[in-house]
Amino acid sequence: MDASILTIHPASPEPIYRQIVDQLRRLIAAGQLAVGERLPSVRDVAGFHAINPMTVSRAYGLAESEGLLERQRGKGMVVASGPTGSQSARERMQLLEPHLKETARQAQELELPADTVLRRLKHLLGN
Amino acid sequence: MDLKRALLAPWMAAPVSMRWLIGSVTLLCALASLGLCLFSPFGDRATASVFVFCPAVGLIWVYLLPNTLLLYHQARDLCLPGVQRDVQLSLVLYAGLSTALPALLLGLDHAQVATATLVLGLTALVPFLYTTLPRVFSLFLCFLPLLLSNLHAHWQPAPPGEPGFTLWASPLAGALLLLAAYRWRRLTHQDVYFTGLMRPVVFGLNQNLRQLLKGDGYVPARPALDPIRLLIQRPSWLQPDVDLRHTGPQYRHRSLRVALGGTWLPERPWSRLRRMVLSMVFFIPLILIWVLVLHTSNQQDLAFAVIRADDALLIQIGLGIACWMVALAHATTIRRKWGRPNNEIPLLALLPGLGHGEAEHRHLLLAVVGQPLLQLLALGVLMVVLGRLAGLDLPGMIFLSLTAPACIAMAVADLLLTLGHADALQFRLLHWLVMPAGMVLTSLSISLPPHFHDGSILAPMHLVATWVLTFGWVVCLCGILWFAVAGWRLYQRQPHPYLICACY
Amino acid sequence: MNAVLRTDDAPMPMPLVAQGLKHAYDGHNALLNVDLELHAGSVLGLIGRNGAGKSTLIRALLGLLEPLDGTATVFGDPALHLTDATKARIAYVPQQPEALAWLTAAQMFGYLARFYPRWDAAFVERTLDRWELPGNRMLAKFSPGERQRIDLIRALASQPELLVLDEPAASLDPVARRDLLREVALRAGDAGATVLFSTHIVSDLERVASDIAFLHQGRLLLHCPLDETKERYARLWLPANQSGAAPPHALSRHRQADGSLSLVVGRGDDDQWPAAATLPGARLDALGLEDLFVEIAE
């Protein structure tokens, strides 16, 4: 993979290092990053997105401590083997939770009936 | 069209300080002229009162009305045709008010109306043309005294009041009026932005004025004064070929000259020569005219090796004033540099290898002072050589040679005050008191001594004149010295010499 | 023995330290008691409105002007008396640089190369090529954006350990700005350079800064790591009937027309939001840096 797989929104209230960790978590959970796959170097990510390398190191460090990544001698950061690829549906659902909550809040603000929203969501999910 | 608005337009376009200045001068002149007309015991009081009114007319036409051109341009840019018409109308109105009306009034007192109109008309036209013609013509003006003095040998025009006056003055006034009308039309219809020497004086009027009134030179660069803009405008054949050999930490003096730029910039010898020759081309027609006039006028002592005493005098006065200007110009350049936070000064402040403490102060001072010093020495030598050629005697030579050292002292004092971040008051005193006094002294020291011997009316007073001049120079030099010492103390107190002036 | 110990223990002097900096122009205060420390390797974004005193602070920090009060040191040297060794470690790019306008770009680089011991001539060549800037053109003839890039090359070529940029992105187009940020970010990462840059373009700062300092009307309101700023501060909105319960310590406080109250609040020492956030009707919004900036500066 290369650095373009990550998207950075500097203006978001969420700190950049958290954005990176969250994206890594999602990518790994969804299997888009396979176990053992090499991550772009800190320098590459920092250079590509014009962000501070320390931010990237911090994100990688955090992901490593969470067990998402592991450091391999000579190869840099790779996607950790172990539980990451076989995350349970419940764990993956938890990743979606904040987005669902946000959607629910907005739907309430717009005073939309729940079944309309659910129908639409079903349609978007493809069935 | 509204008469009241048209009458007010030039005043509204002028800054408040200028309104007051011109208003009060006009009022004073009008009162003096009227008083002279009514109560003067002298014979030709009508002509005299016309002359008394002239300064007011001159001031109105050198500033107030040319300045409306800027208003006209703004009105055109903002699509305000009413204001444009006001400006046009005000020009006609003030032409009548400043020439015809006083002439008619004075005519009631038996003055010749035609003569008065012509005198006032010429007084209005010449300054107006000065501001509306390209700047290059004002350069030629420096040579006007020289030409007139030589022309005088051929042709002595009748002064105002004599019958011959209208004969030469009316065609001249007519021609100037046509030229003025043409220039006004061109400047109001011109969309092209004038640059360089073709730029009329009027476009720089307010900028120069602002600087003059402030007197301390701490003006942020305006577009026209911006040295960088001047660099871009300079044609490529006038661009210097910079000599960067012998720069670096081992050659601090030369390195500092590179960083100071302008006249300080080290240049390859042939580049300097080329630029000097090319800029001289400009003056060749003038020199030719001068030689021609000289050739036809003074048959008796025509020898190119020896210069006419009158011409030498005029040139020397010109050079003397140039000395003061050189001193002022260098100091002003430096002051403007030190007032800006984004140029080479912060760069120099953080550049390694320029020395520390006292040595750093000394290197910079020597580099800054060196260039005006050389130029002033050259001018001083030129003056002395001219004096020698004109056959000046020893006391005359001594007075003549005082100007250059005084200007060097003045340049050093001014630069020290600048580098020491002196307050504006000190600069105002130096520029508005010491310098004008010095310029008067220079003119007197050059023009008086040649007349001490030749049986002129000055001859009996020459001892007094000598003492007065000597005393004047002593006081002037002491004044300059005082400022230099004050500047030196301030400069020594700076932690490092490249601090941006806090006044910015 | 003692001396040896001391040299071993002595921490590397900090790149920039300011204590109690005060300055004023014509009686108008520009800096009021500013204390600032810049740690080695950090990228500090100095943010503030126009006229907040950013440029004055930078000049005072580098000893380019004499503050009315207070001291600044650069790598342990007093800012007003820097040694050559320290000067060689600093590079400063002013706002709209116009230094040495009479030289061509190549002449300027050649001239300055003689003074800096670690001058990287290859970098100059490479970057001029990459940014398509002709070296033989007179500096005065470059556009402001090009001129700024030339000056950035100049600053980076001396391989500084402390890079100070005053509004570096002001006259750059978006592509050049991104390029500059990348260069700054990588300098900080690879060479461990310390960077201080002032800006009012918040998105630039959010990309590369590790810390931010918020200067408002001559005072330093906020100085902390960037990520922490986003996590520590939020906007608390209280309806009119609850506005009496507003916490006393807030960075800003705006009362709306309907009587409701909008505050910028920070987490307390216990890492908790103020109690008022849990009141019925109260709303806590996460703030982007730009929103935070606007809320405080308004």
Side-chain angles (χ1 to χ4, degrees):
Chain A
M1 79 173 264
D2 64 9
S4 62
I5 198 166
L6 298 168
T7 43
I8 307 287
H9 301 285
S12 148
E14 199 180 9
I16 293 175
Y17 81 96
R18 279 198 186 281
Q19 293 180 27
I20 296 176
V21 176
D22 286 352
Q23 281 180 56
L24 286 175
R25 200 179 291 135
R26 274 201 299 274
L27 288 167
I28 291 168
Q32 272 170 293
L33 283 178
V35 173
E37 193 170 342
R38 213 175 112 190
L39 269 92
S41 72
V42 168
R43 195 178 191 283
D44 284 349
V45 176
F48 184 85
H49 294 287
I51 54 179
N52 194 314
M54 278 182 289
T55 311
V56 186
S57 317
R58 187 173 176 193
Y60 278 15
L62 200 64
E64 192 184 2
S65 68
E66 279 187 19
L68 292 170
L69 305 177
E70 59 189 22
R71 199 178 297 274
Q72 266 190 12
R73 196 173 290 275
K75 269 179 101 178
M77 280 293 184
V78 298
V79 177
S81 56
T84 51
S86 55
Q87 266 186 339
S88 68
R90 203 169 139 257
E91 278 168 328
R92 278 176 287 160
M93 194 58 200
Q94 253 173 5
L95 293 177
L96 199 59
E97 190 68 18
H99 301 279
L100 290 175
K101 269 187 179 158
E102 175 66 16
T103 310
R105 188 179 70 79
Q106 287 189 7
Q108 275 169 350
E109 277 178 10
L110 294 168
E111 294 174 1
L112 291 169
D115 52 340
T116 317
V117 178
L118 287 175
R119 232 186 355 257
R120 178 72 189 143
L121 195 62
K122 226 175 216 172
H123 178 76
L124 285 174
L125 287 167
N127 44 24
Chain B
M1 288 207 197
D2 185 345
L3 273 185
K4 191 177 144 206
R5 271 178 35 184
L7 276 174
L8 282 178
W11 298 94
M12 289 316 198
V16 181
S17 52
M18 279 315 270
R19 281 184 224 166
W20 278 102
L21 180 72
I22 295 176
S24 42
V25 168
T26 309
L27 195 69
L28 273 178
C29 287
L31 285 179
S33 178
L34 224 74
L36 203 67
C37 214
L38 294 178
F39 306 113
S40 165
F42 298 115
D44 190 9
R45 57 193 194 196
T47 316
S49 44
V50 170
F51 277 111
V52 169
F53 193 59
C54 277
V57 176
L59 204 54
I60 286 173
W61 286 90
V62 83
Y63 182 77
L64 206 58
L65 288 160
N67 193 37
T68 57
L69 186 69
L70 305 179
L71 180 65
Y72 185 94
H73 274 266
Q74 275 169 6
R76 199 185 54 184
D77 293 346
L78 296 171
C79 297
L80 300 170
V83 178
Q84 280 171 268
R85 278 196 299 274
D86 286 343
V87 170
Q88 305 271 31
L89 182 63
S90 77
L91 208 65
V92 180
L93 277 178
Y94 276 89
L97 280 178
S98 54
T99 57
L101 184 71
L104 280 175
L105 276 179
L106 293 168
L108 295 178
D109 192 44
H110 315 293
Q112 296 155 311
V113 177
T115 309
T117 313
L118 277 175
V119 169
L120 290 171
L122 284 174
T123 318
L125 279 167
V126 171
F128 185 73
L129 280 171
Y130 161 75
T131 47
T132 49
L133 281 174
R135 223 163 32 161
V136 60
F137 283 92
S138 56
L139 264 180
F140 287 129
L141 275 184
C142 309
F143 291 84
L144 206 62
L146 200 61
L147 287 177
L148 287 182
S149 131
N150 280 294
L151 211 64
H152 205 66
H154 285 290
W155 175 57
Q156 279 113 353
E162 282 181 23
F165 176 70
T166 35
L167 273 184
W168 68 266
S170 40
L172 180 66
L176 292 185
L177 187 64
L178 278 179
L179 186 60
Y182 165 72
R183 279 309 288 179
W184 179 263
R185 214 188 132 67
R186 190 168 149 71
L187 291 185
T188 48
H189 285 74
Q190 180 68 266
D191 278 323
V192 184
Y193 188 75
F194 297 91
T195 55
L197 287 171
M198 294 315 282
R199 187 179 152 93
V201 178
V202 56
F203 288 123
L205 216 53
N206 275 329
Q207 291 149 5
N208 296 337
L209 183 85
R210 204 170 293 129
Q211 209 189 355
L212 205 71
L213 288 177
K214 278 196 94 178
D216 45 18
Y218 289 123
V219 269
R222 308 264 152 203
L225 291 172
D226 193 352
I228 290 173
R229 207 189 170 91
L230 292 180
L231 269 178
I232 299 172
Q233 283 172 4
R234 196 154 59 178
S236 56
W237 46 270
L238 274 180
Q239 298 287 8
D241 190 0
V242 187
D243 187 0
L244 285 180
R245 288 172 302 176
H246 303 300
T247 55
Q250 309 91 328
Y251 310 97
R252 288 175 184 161
H253 185 80
R254 245 177 118 79
S255 304
L256 282 172
R257 281 177 54 199
V258 172
L260 290 169
T263 55
W264 286 273
L265 199 60
E267 221 176 310
R268 291 193 183 265
W270 65 265
S271 149
R272 189 175 294 269
L273 193 73
R274 178 197 62 190
R275 294 203 308 135
M276 254 164 73
V277 170
L278 285 174
S279 39
M280 284 305 281
V281 166
F282 206 62
F283 294 102
I284 284 176
L286 282 168
I287 295 168
L288 275 181
I289 295 173
W290 175 38
V291 170
L292 250 150
V293 174
L294 190 75
H295 189 73
T296 47
S297 61
N298 282 33
Q299 299 297 342
Q300 63 273 29
D301 58 8
L302 177 76
F304 282 167
V306 180
I307 197 163
R308 242 168 38 110
D310 279 0
D311 289 358
L313 203 82
L314 281 169
I315 297 174
Q316 279 164 358
I317 292 181
L319 290 176
I321 301 299
C323 281
W324 292 98
M325 289 299 139
V326 164
L328 182 70
H330 281 90
T332 308
T333 310
I334 291 296
R335 189 151 47 252
R336 209 171 284 149
K337 256 189 212 307
W338 255 256
R340 290 179 70 71
N342 54 349
N343 58 6
E344 40 288 336
I345 305 311
L347 191 75
L348 288 175
L350 297 174
L351 196 65
L354 289 179
H356 290 285
E358 192 141 335
E360 194 179 21
H361 279 77
R362 196 179 56 242
H363 285 303
L364 176 72
L365 186 64
L366 287 178
V368 164
V369 166
Q371 222 43 37
L373 193 101
L374 281 181
Q375 291 182 15
L376 287 169
L377 277 181
L379 281 173
V381 168
L382 204 61
M383 283 168 77
V384 170
V385 168
L386 272 171
R388 198 65 239 149
L389 287 179
L392 214 59
D393 62 356
L394 187 65
M397 291 293 278
I398 291 175
F399 277 123
L400 182 69
S401 53
L402 275 174
T403 297
C407 289
I408 291 173
M410 155 91 185
V412 172
D414 206 342
L415 289 167
L416 278 171
L417 286 176
T418 301
L419 296 179
H421 298 195
D423 52 24
L425 180 71
Q426 273 162 306
F427 288 110
R428 277 185 201 158
L429 282 175
L430 189 66
H431 294 159
W432 289 97
L433 205 71
V434 178
M435 214 179 77
M439 284 161 91
V440 170
L441 273 173
T442 295
S443 317
L444 290 179
S445 304
I446 293 166
S447 53
L448 290 185
H451 297 288
F452 285 168
H453 299 293
D454 54 3
S456 73
I457 47 163
L458 274 179
M461 302 197 298
H462 90 268
L463 256 182
V464 181
T466 308
W467 278 114
V468 168
L469 280 182
T470 313
F471 179 72
W473 274 117
V474 169
V475 171
C476 179
L477 285 172
C478 283
I480 294 175
L481 217 64
W482 186 84
F483 280 109
V485 172
W488 174 256
R489 290 214 180 110
L490 285 172
Y491 182 47
Q492 290 301 316
R493 219 183 289 157
Q494 298 292 322
H496 68 78
Y498 305 106
L499 285 177
I500 303 161
C501 188
C503 318
Y504 182 77
Chain C
M1 181 64 193
N2 214 347
V4 173
L5 266 182
R6 203 179 301 133
T7 49
D8 282 346
D9 289 351
M12 284 278 285
M14 269 199 244
L16 274 179
V17 179
Q19 280 168 343
L21 280 184
K22 255 186 216 154
H23 201 63
Y25 296 112
D26 298 328
H28 167 79
N29 283 328
L31 292 180
L32 280 164
N33 260 334
V34 175
D35 294 315
L36 188 72
E37 278 181 5
L38 194 54
H39 297 271
S42 61
V43 179
L44 175 67
L46 184 60
I47 192 170
R49 298 186 67 180
N50 293 329
K54 297 182 298 257
S55 295
T56 308
L57 176 59
I58 285 181
R59 285 173 208 149
L61 284 172
L62 292 178
L64 300 175
L65 60 78
E66 204 176 355
L68 292 181
D69 200 12
T71 53
T73 56
V74 185
F75 291 117
D77 279 358
L80 290 167
H81 300 278
L82 297 176
T83 58
D84 278 351
T86 302
K87 284 179 186 172
R89 297 163 77 184
I90 314 172
Y92 163 60
V93 179
Q95 219 172 331
Q96 297 165 0
E98 50 185 47
L100 305 173
W102 40 88
L103 300 181
T104 64
Q107 279 173 335
M108 189 261 277
F109 291 130
Y111 170 71
L112 292 176
R114 296 163 208 225
F115 292 92
Y116 286 98
R118 290 190 308 275
W119 188 265
D120 187 351
F123 168 80
V124 173
E125 289 293 317
R126 211 167 52 233
T127 319
L128 279 179
D129 268 0
R130 185 153 60 92
W131 285 348
E132 293 171 351
L133 298 166
N136 57 0
R137 193 192 291 173
M138 195 173 41
L139 291 176
K141 296 191 176 172
F142 283 102
S143 75
E146 291 173 321
R147 188 75 188 72
Q148 196 154 30
R149 276 185 280 168
I150 298 254
D151 227 45
L152 287 165
I153 299 176
R154 187 266 301 164
L156 294 170
S158 67
Q159 309 204 35
E161 290 164 50
L162 171 63
L163 180 61
V164 181
L165 310 169
D166 194 354
E167 296 278 358
S171 43
L172 296 183
D173 59 74
V175 177
R177 223 167 69 204
R178 188 63 67 86
D179 239 9
L180 159 72
L181 293 177
R182 181 171 298 130
E183 198 64 49
V184 167
L186 293 181
R187 281 288 165 145
D190 295 351
T194 312
V195 183
L196 165 61
F197 72 104
S198 76
T199 187
H200 56 260
I201 306 174
V202 183
S203 64
D204 290 350
L205 192 141
E206 286 177 293
R207 279 185 185 277
V208 299
S210 64
D211 300 75
I212 65 158
F214 194 156
L215 199 65
H216 187 54
Q217 294 174 343
R219 278 176 226 272
L220 210 56
L221 290 188
L222 208 68
H223 178 200
C224 59
L226 176 72
D227 296 335
E228 201 174 295
T229 318
K230 285 186 173 178
E231 289 169 343
R232 283 198 80 83
Y233 297 96
R235 178 169 42 207
L236 175 64
W237 182 84
L238 292 173
N241 56 359
Q242 299 282 6
S243 66
H249 302 293
L251 278 176
S252 82
R253 184 182 296 261
H254 296 289
R255 191 172 286 280
Q256 313 296 334
D258 62 353
S260 64
L261 203 59
S262 157
L263 308 147
V264 173
V265 294
R267 289 180 195 265
D269 294 331
D270 52 356
D271 229 26
Q272 295 301 312
W273 294 109
T278 54
L279 291 171
R283 203 175 71 219
L284 200 65
D285 294 328
L287 278 177
L289 207 52
E290 184 148 333
D291 293 329
L292 181 65
F293 172 48
V294 172
E295 285 284 337
I296 297 181
E298 242 173 9

